[in-house]
């Protein structure tokens, strides 16, 4: 069991000393993990029998479904029309290097905003566990996702003030449409480049 390994291994001191929050809530995390095992893994075996193959099918279907769901949400949040594409070295060029212009660092915060999108609002947040607020999640990864709908307007206001592009889609279907267009554009550009190179 993972939580027993964590408790007994040499990882435990480093894990527990990471932050005061984790130290205080270590046992809560273990109880939640145990709850997950007892709620989602054990029942299929109790229902079908410990030696049956059916529990493995149930668990596999659950795992594949959740993986596809999460994959779709992450795809929507990071692949949309107008998403900032850039140099992975995190450096931005001020013009042509041949003219003596220097490369300057890209602002980490603006990079997080311009490579993500947010869609929907409070209800979408409840349904997705806050994953629809990817911009806020990237800026404040340790903040509870319950706060994202409340801080999003202020984040948008600050982005507008500093000229940072904040991608917000009021409805998930608008984000899906933008994602399909983006994927199509990327595919067509790749095919076009391969055809003429």
């Amino acid at each position: 069991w993972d939580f027993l390994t964590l408790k007994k291994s040499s990882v435990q001191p480093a894990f527990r000393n990471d932050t005061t929050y984790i130290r205080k809530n270590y046992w809560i995390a273990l109880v939640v993990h145990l709850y997950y095992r007892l709620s989602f893994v054990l029942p299929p075996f109790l229902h079908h029998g410990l030696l049956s193959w059916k529990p493995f099918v149930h668990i596999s279907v659950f795992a594949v479904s959740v993986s596809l769901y999460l994959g779709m949400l992450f795809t929507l949040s990071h692949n949309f029309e107008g998403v900032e594409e850039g140099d992975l070295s995190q450096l931005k060029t001020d013009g042509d290097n041949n003219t003596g212009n220097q490369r300057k660092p890209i602002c980490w915060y603006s990079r997080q905003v311009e490579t993500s999108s947010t869609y929907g609002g409070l209800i979408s947040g409840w349904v997705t566990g806050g994953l629809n607020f990817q911009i806020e999640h990237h800026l404040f990864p340790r903040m509870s996702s319950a706060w994202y709908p409340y801080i999003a307007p202020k984040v948008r206001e600050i982005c507008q003030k500093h000229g940072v592009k904040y991608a917000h889609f009021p409805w998930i279907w608008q984000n899906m449409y933008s994602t399909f267009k983006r994927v199509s554009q990327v595919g067509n550009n790749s095919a076009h480049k391969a055809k003429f190179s």
Side-chain angles (χ1 to χ4, degrees):
W1 292 50
D2 295 340
F3 68 91
L4 289 177
T5 305
L6 181 62
K7 182 179 180 296
K8 293 178 182 176
S9 74
S10 62
V11 175
Q12 182 188 14
F15 174 75
R16 293 190 68 186
N17 291 326
D18 182 34
T19 66
T20 304
Y21 176 81
I22 292 175
R23 279 197 310 274
K24 288 181 179 177
N25 296 293
Y26 177 73
W27 292 107
I28 294 172
L30 293 180
V31 169
V32 169
H33 186 80
L34 181 61
Y35 170 77
Y36 167 78
R37 298 283 180 143
L38 293 175
S39 300
F40 295 103
V41 177
L42 189 60
F45 285 100
L46 294 177
H47 181 73
H48 296 290
L50 294 175
L51 300 176
S52 174
W53 56 270
K54 290 180 183 177
F56 295 104
V57 172
H58 285 238
I59 293 168
S60 297
V61 168
F62 173 75
V64 167
S65 301
V66 169
S67 297
L68 291 172
Y69 172 72
L70 290 174
M72 182 197 74
L73 294 179
F74 294 141
T75 300
L76 291 176
S77 299
H78 299 287
N79 299 284
F80 51 93
E81 287 182 292
V83 66
E84 174 66 26
E85 292 181 44
D87 187 354
L88 294 178
S89 69
Q90 296 291 309
L91 294 172
K92 189 178 255 182
T93 303
D94 261 348
D96 186 6
N97 280 340
N98 295 333
T99 61
N101 291 330
Q102 299 292 321
R103 293 172 71 98
K104 63 179 184 174
I106 292 175
C107 173
W108 182 88
Y109 296 101
S110 65
R111 187 76 172 158
Q112 299 309 306
V113 174
E114 292 175 345
T115 58
S116 304
S117 71
T118 291
Y119 63 86
L122 188 62
I123 294 172
S124 294
W126 289 337
V127 172
T128 65
L131 291 175
N132 61 316
F133 290 97
Q134 277 294 300
I135 292 173
E136 289 71 22
H137 167 68
H138 280 234
L139 293 173
F140 309 102
R142 298 188 81 170
M143 179 184 285
S144 168
S145 62
W147 289 105
Y148 293 160
Y150 302 104
I151 67 166
K154 191 66 173 177
V155 171
R156 275 185 230 136
E157 179 186 318
I158 292 168
C159 288
Q160 184 176 15
K161 177 182 173 184
H162 294 282
V164 176
K165 184 180 172 191
Y166 183 103
H168 176 257
F169 298 92
W171 300 96
I172 189 172
W173 63 266
Q174 294 168 316
N175 197 344
M176 287 177 140
Y177 179 74
S178 181
T179 297
F180 288 133
K181 283 185 76 174
R182 168 76 179 149
V183 170
S184 177
Q185 289 168 352
V186 170
N188 289 336
N189 284 342
S190 298
H192 180 74
K193 287 178 183 176
K195 185 176 179 181
F196 294 104
S197 58

